[in-house]
Amino acid sequence: MPTHPATPIQFHTFALSGHSHRVELLLRMLELPYTSVPVDFANRAQKNADFLQISPFGQVPVIVDDGVVIWDSAAILVYLAEKYGDGRWLPVDPHGKSEVQRWLSVAAGAVVKGPMAARINLVFNVPCDMAQAHDVANTLFAVMDEYLQQRQYLAMNLLTIADLAMYAYIAHAPEGGIDLAPYPNLMRWLGNVEASRGFAPMPKSRTGLWANLEE
Ligand SMILES: N[C@@H](CCC(=O)N[C@@H](CS)C(=O)NCC(=O)O)C(=O)O
């Protein structure tokens, strides 16, 4: 397996997208050469015919690596970890792999329905049932807080793509009006990810930053 691509990976991204941020974290932590291609969400460029050629749902993130196009953040994390990472980012043994997959599933489920939904409601004015989003988020955070009581990381107690996939929308949950203070173990885990080599934060957003983004 190559440890680096021959030419920089093209990374189609939007700066305030947690799905993009998780990919950017892995690109940085693996020290891979990449070129960011910002997608102009203000002008809905994600739904342009050209972009739909590489992303059929019209969403970021997408990467193009030596002509290979991959869309969907979980698919990209798995690809990069398998191709350029050592076994630590996505363990090869069945138990380790299943622990990572479990959190990738949560990142596409409760994280999207809870903290992400609440954040994009307040920041981008995307409609949602806020009470339900807060409820999903607080149930998720309570489960994670207990799970993390004796752990530093989510899967096999090692930094893996599971942590990167879960990080951004939880760290930015306060932008959706969700307080993280009742979850000290969860906050400690956020700090562990932030202390990792190559970490860079997603920019903070404020309420009403960008109304009607996804209309
Ligand atoms: N399942 C996808 C979801 C990606 C996603 O929801 N991307 C959002 C930004 S965070 C997007 O591009 N939204 C624009 C749109 O749907 O028009 C993934 O994991 O990559």
Side-chain angles (χ1 to χ4, degrees), residues 17-19 22 41 44 46-47 57-61 72-74 116 169 214:
S17 153
H19 286 95
R22 56 184 73 162
F41 270 41
R44 297 197 50 78
Q46 75 273 26
K47 303 300 185 206
F57 291 118
Q59 293 183 326
V60 293
D72 186 86
S73 60
M116 173 183 164
Y169 289 121
E214 304 206 352

Side-chain angles (χ1 to χ4, degrees), residues 5 26 29 48 73 94-95 108 133 153 167 169 188 205:
L26 187 59
M29 289 182 184
N48 286 350
S73 60
H95 182 203
Y153 300 104
Y167 173 81
Y169 289 121
R188 179 175 43 75
S205 303

